[in-house]
C-alpha cells in the first residue's frame, strides 16, 4: 500500500505525524511525506522520504503580525475561543494561505505517485482536497488536544474557491478517520456548531521532538527538584517578544530547585546572565529530559504539553495564543496542572503556582492518571492496521511463524 503523509511547512505541524509514518514503513508500506520546500530538510532528518511541493509562505511573519494586532488591545491575555469564533471564516486565514501555496503542487505529485490513502495534518487542507480529487480515503491526524476541530465550522466556506476550481463537491476535512493522539478525557467534547461527527481513532502520543543528543548529566541524580522551563520552537518565530523564558526562569530560580532551560538556538540570546542553579540546553529532545523532571513551565504548545503528558509530569502553562489557552484550560480541568494568563504571570504568581505543583500531591497523581490513560491507547503500529482496512483489496497476508 502507498501512504502519502502531508503537512505544511512548519516543523511542529509535521512532528506528530512521524511515529505513524515510521510505523507504516516498518509494516512494509511505501511512504512519502509531501511538504513545502522549506520543511524538506527537516523531513529528511527524520528518516523519511520527502517530496517538496508547492511554494513556501512566511508563516512566522504572517502569524506574528496577527498576534501583534491582538496585543494592541492593551492586554497581553489571549482571546478565548468564543471571542475568536466571532471572526468566523477568518479563523482559517493562515491555513487557507498555505493551502493556496501547496495544493497544485501536491496534486501534481499525488496524481503521478497515486497513493492509496492520504494522511494529512489537521490544518493542511490540501490533503483532503487532493484525496477527494483522487477518490482515495483521507485520514486526518491531530497534534493532541484538537483545536483545529473548532475550525471545522468554517472550513466549508473557506475551501469553497478550491473546490470550485477543481469542480469538487463537499469535502469532509475531518476525513474518514481522525488519528487522535490524546487521552479521551483530555480531548475537546464534540460541538453542536460543527456540522459533522468526528470518527476518532485514539492513538498513543509517541514524542518526536527532532534529532538531538541528550547531555551526559541526564544520567546523574538531579540536584533537588528539577523544573524544566521552555517556550517551545514557535513563539520566537512568531514574535520574539512572546519568549519570556528569561523572566520565568528568574521568577522561580530562587525556590531551591534545579532549573533546566530548554531553548531553541535562535532564542538563546534572549537569556541574560543566569543563577548557578540553571542549566541551559539547546535543541534537547524534550522526551529525554522531561521524565527526569518534577514539573514543567511552558507556553502550552501541543508538542510540549503532550510530551510532558506522556512523561507524567505536572505542568504550569502561560498561554499567549487562543489555541494554547484552550490547551491550558483542558489541562487545568484534568487536575494535572495549572495555568496563568500572561497578565497574571507575575514572579509571585509563577512561584506560587510552581510551589503548588511541587508540594500538593494531587497534581502529580492527576498527571500519572493521564499518563496511564495515554499508555493504554493503541500504538502507531496498531493504527497502521486501521489504515490498511480503509483500502479495498485483498487482506494482507498474516506474518509467517518463526521457524
Amino acid at each position: 500500500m502507498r501512504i502519502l503523509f502531508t503537512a505544511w511547512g512548519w516543523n511542529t505541524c509535521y512532528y506528530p505525524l512521524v511515529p505513524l509514518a515510521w510505523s507504516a514503513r516498518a509494516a512494509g508500506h511505501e511512504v512519502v511525506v509531501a511538504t513545502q520546500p522549506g520543511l524538506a530538510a527537516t523531513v529528511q532528518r527524520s528518516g523519511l522520504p520527502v517530496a517538496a511541493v508547492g511554494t513556501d509562505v512566511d508563516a512566522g511573519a504572517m502569524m506574528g503580525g496577527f498576534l501583534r494586532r491582538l496585543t494592541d488591545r492593551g492586554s497581553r491575555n489571549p482571546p478565548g475561543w468564543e471571542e475568536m469564533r466571532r471572526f468566523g471564516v477568518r479563523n482559517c486565514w493562515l491555513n487557507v494561505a498555505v493551502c493556496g501555496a501547496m495544493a497544485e503542487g501536491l496534486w501534481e505529485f499525488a496524481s503521478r505517485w497515486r497513493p492509496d490513502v492520504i494522511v494529512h495534518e489537521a490544518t493542511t487542507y490540501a490533503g483532503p482536497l487532493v484525496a477527494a480529487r483522487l477518490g482515495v480515503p483521507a485520514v486526518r491526524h491531530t497534534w493532541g488536544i484538537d483545536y483545529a476541530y473548532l475550525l471545522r465550522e468554517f472550513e466549508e466556506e473557506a475551501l469553497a474557491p478550491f473546490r470550485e476550481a477543481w469542480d469538487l463537491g463537499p469535502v469532509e476535512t475531518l476525513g474518514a478517520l481522525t488519528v487522535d493522539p490524546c487521552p479521551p478525557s483530555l480531548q475537546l467534547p464534540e460541538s453542536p456548531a460543527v456540522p459533522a461527527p468526528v470518527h476518532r481513532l485514539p492513538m498513543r502520543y509517541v514524542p518526536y521532538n527532532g534529532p538531538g543528543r541528550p547531555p551526559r548529566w541526564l544520567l546523574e541524580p538531579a540536584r533537588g527538584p528539577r523544573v524544566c522551563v521552555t517556550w517551545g520552537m514557535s513563539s520566537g518565530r512568531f514574535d520574539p517578544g512572546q519568549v519570556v523564558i528569561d523572566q520565568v526562569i528568574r521568577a522561580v530560580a530562587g525556590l531551591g530547585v534545579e532549573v533546566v532551560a530548554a531553548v531553541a538556538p535562535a532564542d538563546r540570546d534572549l537569556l541574560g546572565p543566569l543563577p548557578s542553579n540553571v542549566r541551559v540546553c539547546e535543541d534537547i529532545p524534550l522526551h529525554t529530559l522531561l521524565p527526569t523532571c518534577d514539573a514543567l513551565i511552558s507556553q502550552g504548545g501541543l508538542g510540549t504539553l503532550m510530551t510532558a503528558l506522556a512523561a507524567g509530569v505536572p505542568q504550569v502553562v502561560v498561554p499567549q495564543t487562543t489555541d494554547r489557552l484552550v490547551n491550558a484550560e483542558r489541562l487545568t480541568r484534568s487536575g494535572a496542572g495549572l495555568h496563568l494568563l500572561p497578565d497574571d504571570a507575575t514572579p509571585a504568581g509563577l512561584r506560587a503556582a510552581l510551589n503548588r505543583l511541587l508540594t500538593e500531591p494531587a497534581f502529580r497523581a492527576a498527571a500519572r492518571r493521564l499518563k496511564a490513560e495515554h499508555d493504554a491507547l493503541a500504538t502507531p503500529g496498531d493504527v497502521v492496521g486501521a489504515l490498511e482496512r480503509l483500502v479495498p483489496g485483498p487482506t494482507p497476508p498474516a506474518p509467517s511463524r518463526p521457524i
Side-chain angles (χ1 to χ4, degrees), residues 25-36:
R25 287 203 74 193
H29 299 296
E30 293 184 68
V31 169
V32 171
V33 177
T35 188
Q36 292 171 289

Side-chain angles (χ1 to χ4, degrees), residues 76-78 231 235 242 244 248 297-301 315-321 324-325 328 338-346 350:
R76 296 180 302 159
N77 294 342
W231 237 246
S235 296
Q242 282 205 338
V244 296
V248 174
I297 305 177
S298 81
Q299 86 296 3
Q315 309 174 50
V316 175
V317 174
V318 183
Q320 296 162 302
T321 57
R324 294 170 185 172
L325 176 58
L338 296 168
H339 72 278
L340 296 172
L341 293 175
D343 285 349
D344 300 323
T346 61
L350 287 164

Side-chain angles (χ1 to χ4, degrees), residues 11 55 77 123 143 151 177 184 203 220-221 265 298 315 318 326 395:
N11 52 1
T55 58
N77 294 342
T123 63
W143 311 2
L151 305 183
L177 291 172
M203 182 185 79
E220 302 168 3
S298 81
Q315 309 174 50
V318 183
V326 170
T395 303

Side-chain angles (χ1 to χ4, degrees), residues 84-400:
M84 287 301 296
R85 185 170 177 257
R86 292 197 291 269
F87 287 93
V89 73
R90 286 179 289 172
N91 282 286
C92 304
W93 67 278
L94 179 57
N95 306 338
V96 168
V98 170
C99 185
M102 67 183 296
E104 288 291 346
L106 184 64
W107 164 251
E108 181 182 352
F109 173 78
S111 62
R112 290 185 285 114
W113 194 64
R114 307 302 296 186
D116 297 295
V117 64
I118 294 179
V119 179
H120 63 96
E121 180 273 330
T123 63
T124 304
Y125 295 154
L129 287 166
V130 169
R133 193 173 180 184
L134 284 174
V136 301
V139 173
R140 178 174 173 268
H141 196 309
T142 73
W143 311 2
I145 299 171
D146 196 359
Y147 180 80
Y149 166 74
L150 300 175
L151 305 183
R152 175 62 187 86
E153 180 180 358
F154 312 111
E155 288 172 346
E156 186 171 346
E157 179 182 354
L159 298 182
F162 300 99
R163 293 189 293 105
E164 292 168 5
W166 285 354
D167 195 25
L168 294 174
V171 173
E172 183 47 76
T173 54
L174 296 175
L177 291 172
T178 287
V179 175
D180 182 8
C182 183
S185 69
L186 193 66
Q187 189 54 274
L188 292 172
E190 292 203 10
S191 167
V194 175
V198 54
H199 303 292
R200 295 192 184 277
L201 182 60
M203 182 185 79
R204 189 179 310 172
Y205 183 87
V206 178
Y208 175 74
N209 313 124
R213 179 177 298 175
R216 293 177 63 89
W217 54 260
L218 274 184
L219 302 177
E220 302 168 3
R223 302 174 299 190
R226 177 175 287 168
V227 178
C228 175
V229 181
T230 185
W231 237 246
M233 293 179 288
S234 297
S235 296
R237 295 172 68 185
F238 293 151
D239 179 5
Q242 282 205 338
V243 184
V244 296
I245 186 172
D246 185 67
Q247 301 168 40
V248 174
I249 291 169
R250 294 181 185 286
V252 302
L255 288 178
V257 298
E258 178 189 22
V259 177
V260 180
V263 300
D267 297 340
R268 179 62 177 85
D269 292 341
L270 300 175
L271 304 181
L274 297 171
S276 59
N277 62 328
V278 178
R279 300 183 189 266
V280 179
C281 299
E282 297 182 17
D283 271 350
I284 185 171
L286 274 183
H287 70 275
T288 65
L289 168 63
L290 288 180
T292 75
C293 294
D294 297 284
L296 167 71
I297 305 177
S298 81
Q299 86 296 3
L302 269 179
T304 303
L305 186 145
M306 294 298 299
T307 302
L309 182 153
V313 178
Q315 309 174 50
V316 175
V317 174
V318 183
Q320 296 162 302
T321 57
T322 304
D323 58 321
R324 294 170 185 172
L325 176 58
V326 170
N327 300 341
E329 290 171 339
R330 297 301 296 175
L331 179 72
T332 299
R333 181 186 178 96
S334 77
L338 296 168
H339 72 278
L340 296 172
L341 293 175
D343 285 349
D344 300 323
T346 61
L350 287 164
R351 286 192 292 270
L354 178 59
N355 188 60
R356 287 191 64 192
L357 254 62
L358 295 176
T359 60
E360 297 182 21
F363 292 105
R364 171 67 67 176
R368 287 176 173 166
R369 284 196 301 271
L370 270 183
K371 174 176 169 53
E373 182 184 356
H374 158 272
D375 290 350
L377 298 178
T379 68
D382 297 330
V383 170
V384 171
L387 301 187
E388 293 169 346
R389 290 189 289 275
L390 288 175
V391 179
T395 303
S400 59

Side-chain angles (χ1 to χ4, degrees), residues 14-24 141 203 205-208 380-381:
Y14 166 64
Y15 284 173
L17 277 63
V18 171
L20 183 58
W22 282 342
S23 296
H141 196 309
M203 182 185 79
Y205 183 87
V206 178
Y208 175 74

